[in-house]
Amino acid sequence: MRSPDDFEVDLDAIRSDLRDMERDTIEQRKRLDEGRALQETHRLESEVELEVPEPVAEHVRAVVQESAGMSVDERDLFLYEALIAFEERTTRYVFPNGDVLEAGPDGVVFTSSSSSSSDG
C-alpha cells in the first residue's frame, strides 16, 4: 500500500490550472454581460395565436370558476398555466450563417449549417 508521502503534488500545475479556470470564468462572465446588453437592443419577437378546441375551452372555463377568489394577475397566470399544459410548440432559431437551434417537445437540437445531417 502506498503512503501519502509516495505522491508528489505539482503545485505549479495546480496554480496554472487555477489561473486558466479564473481566466475562463472571467471570459464567460464577460459574454454573459454582453448578452444582457444585447437583450436590451435586439429582442427576438414572435406572436403566436392558437385556436383552442372546445374540450380545452370547457376545461379552462372550469378553471376560471375555481379562480374566482384570485386577483386578476393571479387568475391570468393561472389560466395561462392551465393552457400552456396543452400546448406543443416547436421553435426554430435560424442564425444568419444557416445554423439552426430547434426547441420542441422532443428536446433541443442544434444543427450547424456545415453539418449534412440533423442528428441530435
Side-chain angles (χ1 to χ4, degrees):
M1 188 161 140
R2 297 175 75 178
S3 73
D5 295 334
D6 293 339
F7 295 97
E8 286 189 31
V9 175
D10 187 347
L11 293 177
D12 290 335
I14 293 171
R15 287 184 189 103
S16 176
D17 288 347
L18 289 172
R19 281 192 300 273
D20 290 346
M21 289 170 57
E22 181 180 27
R23 196 174 313 115
D24 291 347
T25 301
I26 290 169
E27 283 298 313
Q28 184 179 31
R29 179 63 179 198
K30 181 180 172 187
R31 282 191 295 277
L32 289 172
D33 290 344
E34 289 169 353
R36 285 188 200 96
L38 280 172
Q39 290 173 12
E40 299 285 325
T41 57
H42 294 80
R43 303 301 297 174
L44 301 176
E45 296 181 20
S46 67
E47 187 173 311
V48 177
E49 184 173 316
L50 300 171
E51 296 283 329
V52 178
E54 190 55 39
V56 175
E58 289 175 13
H59 168 75
V60 171
R61 286 186 200 104
V63 170
V64 168
Q65 293 172 355
E66 291 176 21
S67 66
M70 296 180 181
S71 71
V72 172
D73 290 341
E74 290 171 329
R75 183 207 62 210
D76 291 350
L77 181 59
F78 191 59
L79 293 175
Y80 172 73
E81 289 172 347
L83 281 170
I84 199 79
F86 290 94
E87 187 175 335
E88 191 169 291
R89 177 188 310 195
T90 298
T91 303
R92 285 177 201 82
Y93 300 94
V94 181
F95 293 78
N97 68 350
D99 291 349
V100 176
L101 179 68
E102 184 172 306
D106 296 329
V108 178
V109 177
F110 176 77
T111 305
S112 173
S113 62
S114 62
S115 75
S116 58
S117 71
S118 60
D119 297 291

